[in-house]
Amino acid sequence: MLTMLLLSLITILICHLVMGLASVISKKMVLDREKNFPYECGFDPKGSARLPFSLRFFLIAVIFLIFDVEITLLLPLASVFNITSVFSWLFTSTLFLIILLLGLYYEWVQGALEWST
């Protein structure tokens, strides 16, 4: 028990030491003017490269990715149908779909799915 505690403390100490060392070594100069501007084939930039983007589009993209991952989690249910019992397969798939639909309903109620306001 004492050796596990000692090894844990040594591991935590080494991790903090490495993270602190990496933080000190990787400091970048904020005053470097050339690195702050976008590169356009050696020419001076026409306009600002820091254009704002639609937060709604970003939110829709994140929701799409979440539901896409959930669909990939749903795909193996078809392949395990013959291996498991019907009750456990039905219970698992129904519970997963209910959780998925509750998440969709929550996003709908919060207004995240409305493109224009």
Side-chain angles (χ1 to χ4, degrees):
M1 179 74 179
L2 186 60
T3 57
M4 281 183 62
L5 182 63
L6 185 63
L7 286 175
S8 298
L9 287 175
I10 290 172
T11 305
I12 290 172
L13 180 68
I14 290 173
C15 287
H16 282 287
L17 183 68
V18 168
M19 285 191 298
L21 187 64
S23 175
V24 169
I25 290 174
S26 70
K27 291 293 181 191
K28 295 183 179 183
M29 294 295 294
V30 179
L31 303 175
D32 193 4
R33 188 176 89 80
E34 296 297 324
K35 288 186 179 179
N36 287 334
F37 288 109
Y39 181 71
E40 291 186 8
C41 301
F43 299 107
D44 288 332
K46 282 184 160 183
S48 175
R50 312 288 190 254
L51 297 175
F53 63 96
S54 173
L55 192 59
R56 286 264 182 218
F57 176 75
F58 177 73
L59 187 60
I60 294 291
V62 168
I63 291 171
F64 170 76
L65 286 175
I66 290 171
F67 281 107
D68 195 37
V69 168
E70 289 174 348
I71 293 300
T72 59
L73 292 174
L74 192 63
L75 283 175
L77 279 176
S79 64
V80 298
F81 180 71
N82 293 332
I83 301 170
T84 62
S85 68
V86 174
F87 176 73
S88 66
W89 183 83
L90 192 61
F91 178 74
T92 305
S93 60
T94 305
L95 183 67
F96 188 78
L97 286 174
I98 286 174
I99 292 172
L100 184 67
L101 288 174
L102 284 175
L104 178 64
Y105 178 72
Y106 178 75
E107 293 294 332
W108 191 359
V109 167
Q110 293 297 320
L113 299 178
E114 295 176 12
W115 187 258
S116 62
T117 55

